[in-house]
């Protein structure tokens, strides 16, 4: 629903580039970056938080590309005294559970970085997003909003910049002068970006999830790698939850080799969690993104990240110049 609300804004912005220029000039115009907003972000424990305003009241949102829809908690909806849409309930799926709530209406939209995003409604979660990495969040800023744009997620500089998408420019490079790594083979699914990964020699596809503090794999993927319950019996057990009230027990298993695209992360301990089929085989989260600058483009199915160190990665890197 939010994508439908935001799309007209994007189309207006793109239409402004249309001219009677020759085709090659039109392509150049369409490939120019058009910044929509720059939003400060705060990183805590590999989780990202953005400040926003609804009805001129402050809210803190967890930046979550893994969430299909943006969401406010029930407590936040009551605090802001937002009207409810009793015609449109939404089922929210978390790890191992789901919940159903009526949507909340946003008559004044959502304001970030001084820019108003014309979002008419959000999903409501009947659970708390409290004390995540020491920060209480009022909701999630999900893929329905984030992936409507091309995004420069600059973690070292603590800022997130929204640009109008450039679907006519599939070869566009990230808008920075720093070295970068291109992640090839990216696909899209339900407003989310999935990146290829390799786990102990077995290939899979993972949702690029800024809302996941740790990268994790599905039980199906664990079985494909050859893990049985007996192999995980001695693994550390934790309680985990996603966008749902219930918590589930998950095991954390250490694997020998995990790499995203051409980027090796080496031996990594990852939770093994129940995931629905549309979530892919894994979540690539904050421990991969930590300290990087990241370019995310759903419109061109392209992801670029800056390397964390020199050495073998240089063969897969380049240097881009802002168009």
């Amino acid at each position: 629903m939010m994508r439908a609300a935001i799309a007209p804004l994007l189309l207006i912005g793109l239409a402004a580039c249309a001219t009677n220029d020759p085709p090659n000039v039109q392509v150049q115009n369409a490939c120019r970056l058009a910044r929509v907003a720059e939003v400060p972000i705060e990183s805590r424990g590999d989780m990202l938080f953005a400040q926003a305003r609804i009805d001129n009241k402050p809210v803190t949102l967890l930046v979550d590309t893994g969430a299909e829809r943006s969401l406010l908690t029930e407590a936040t909806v009551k605090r802001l005294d937002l009207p409810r849409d009793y015609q449109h309930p939404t089922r929210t799926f978390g790890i191992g559970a789901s919940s159903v709530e009526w949507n909340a209406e946003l008559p004044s939209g959502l304001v970030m970085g001084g820019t108003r995003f014309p979002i008419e409604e959000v999903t409501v979660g009947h659970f708390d997003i409290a004390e995540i990495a020491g920060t209480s969040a009022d909701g999630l800023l999900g893929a329905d909003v984030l992936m409507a744009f091309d995004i420069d997620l600059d973690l070292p500089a603590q800022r997130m910049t929204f640009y109008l998408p450039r679907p006519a420019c599939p070869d566009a490079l990230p808008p920075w002068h720093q070295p970068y790594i291109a992640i090839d083979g990216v696909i899209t699914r339900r407003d989310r970006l999935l990146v290829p990964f390799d786990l102990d020699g077995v290939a899979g596809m993972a949702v690029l999830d800024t809302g996941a503090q740790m990268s994790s794999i599905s039980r199906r993927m664990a079985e494909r790698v050859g893990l049985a319950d007996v192999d995980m019996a001695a693994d550390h057990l934790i309680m985990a939850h996603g966008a749902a009230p219930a918590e589930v027990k998950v095991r954390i298993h250490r694997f020998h080799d995990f790499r995203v695209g051409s980027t090796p992360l080496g031996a990594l301990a990852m939770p093994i969690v129940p995931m629905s089929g549309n979530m892919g085989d894994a979540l690539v989260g904050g421990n991969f993104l930590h300290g990087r600058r990241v370019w995310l483009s759903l419109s061109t199915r392209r992801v670029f990240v800056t390397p964390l160190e020199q050495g073998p990665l240089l063969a897969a890197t380049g240097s881009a110049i802002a168009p």
Side-chain angles (χ1 to χ4, degrees):
M1 181 171 296
M2 282 184 235
R3 288 276 293 181
I6 292 175
L9 171 69
L10 302 184
L11 292 176
I12 290 171
L14 290 173
C17 295
T19 68
N20 293 322
D21 293 326
N24 61 326
V25 176
Q26 291 181 23
V27 171
Q28 291 175 8
N29 289 337
C31 291
R32 289 176 180 170
L33 283 174
R35 189 171 70 173
V36 175
E38 183 175 297
V39 180
I41 56 174
E42 182 180 8
S43 179
R44 287 179 174 263
D46 289 336
M47 308 287 278
L48 306 177
F49 299 90
Q51 299 302 315
R53 300 189 76 82
I54 297 174
D55 288 346
N56 207 30
K57 298 173 184 177
V59 292
T60 299
L61 302 176
L62 175 66
V63 180
D64 191 354
T65 57
E68 185 177 351
R69 294 173 180 266
S70 297
L71 173 150
L72 293 176
T73 66
E74 180 76 33
T76 301
V77 171
K78 290 180 178 179
R79 175 173 66 85
L80 300 178
D81 195 25
L82 296 175
R84 303 299 286 267
D85 178 359
Y86 292 107
Q87 301 296 319
H88 298 99
T90 299
R91 181 177 295 275
T92 302
F93 294 90
I95 295 176
S98 64
S99 60
V100 178
E101 294 291 337
W102 299 107
N103 291 347
E105 298 177 351
L106 303 185
S108 62
L110 176 73
V111 176
M112 294 186 293
T115 298
R116 178 181 176 273
F117 292 73
I119 301 166
E120 297 176 352
E121 293 192 358
V122 291
T123 300
V124 178
H126 194 61
F127 53 90
D128 292 329
I129 314 175
E131 293 305 314
I132 299 176
T135 299
S136 294
D138 298 302
L140 309 175
L141 184 63
D144 54 348
V145 175
L146 294 168
M147 295 294 98
F149 303 90
D150 287 352
I151 291 182
D152 179 4
L153 190 59
D154 192 342
L155 301 187
Q158 299 283 276
R159 65 173 178 250
M160 174 172 58
T161 307
F162 293 82
Y163 294 94
L164 291 181
R166 298 176 291 172
C169 311
D171 297 324
L173 298 175
W176 60 63
H177 294 271
Q178 300 164 256
Y180 64 83
I181 301 168
I183 299 180
D184 296 323
V186 174
I187 64 173
T188 60
R189 187 177 299 167
R190 300 183 70 168
D191 284 350
R192 282 172 283 199
L193 289 164
L194 277 72
V195 296
F197 72 92
D198 186 281
L199 180 65
D200 289 352
V202 179
M205 296 298 296
V207 172
L208 189 59
D209 188 358
T210 60
Q213 190 170 21
M214 300 174 63
S215 298
S216 59
I217 69 166
S218 68
R219 290 192 62 88
R220 296 186 311 277
M221 187 66 193
E223 293 170 358
R224 289 175 55 198
V225 174
L227 280 182
D229 287 342
V230 65
D231 301 313
M232 298 179 283
D235 289 341
H236 183 56
L237 186 67
I238 64 170
M239 300 301 295
H241 69 83
E247 291 186 323
V248 296
K249 296 178 180 180
V250 301
R251 298 282 184 182
I252 297 182
H253 188 82
R254 182 169 293 278
F255 296 89
H256 298 293
D257 182 59
F258 180 66
R259 59 187 62 224
V260 178
S262 62
T263 306
L265 299 178
L268 196 65
M270 292 190 290
I272 300 171
V273 301
M275 294 183 190
S276 62
N278 65 356
M279 291 295 289
D281 305 306
L283 303 176
V284 170
N287 54 348
F288 170 71
L289 300 172
H290 178 84
R292 300 182 190 269
R293 190 170 184 176
V294 186
W295 177 257
L296 305 175
S297 174
L298 187 85
S299 64
T300 59
R301 299 182 183 180
R302 305 202 81 186
V303 174
F304 298 91
V305 299
T306 55
L308 293 181
E309 58 185 8
Q310 305 300 315
L313 295 183
L314 287 180
T317 66
S319 181
I321 299 176

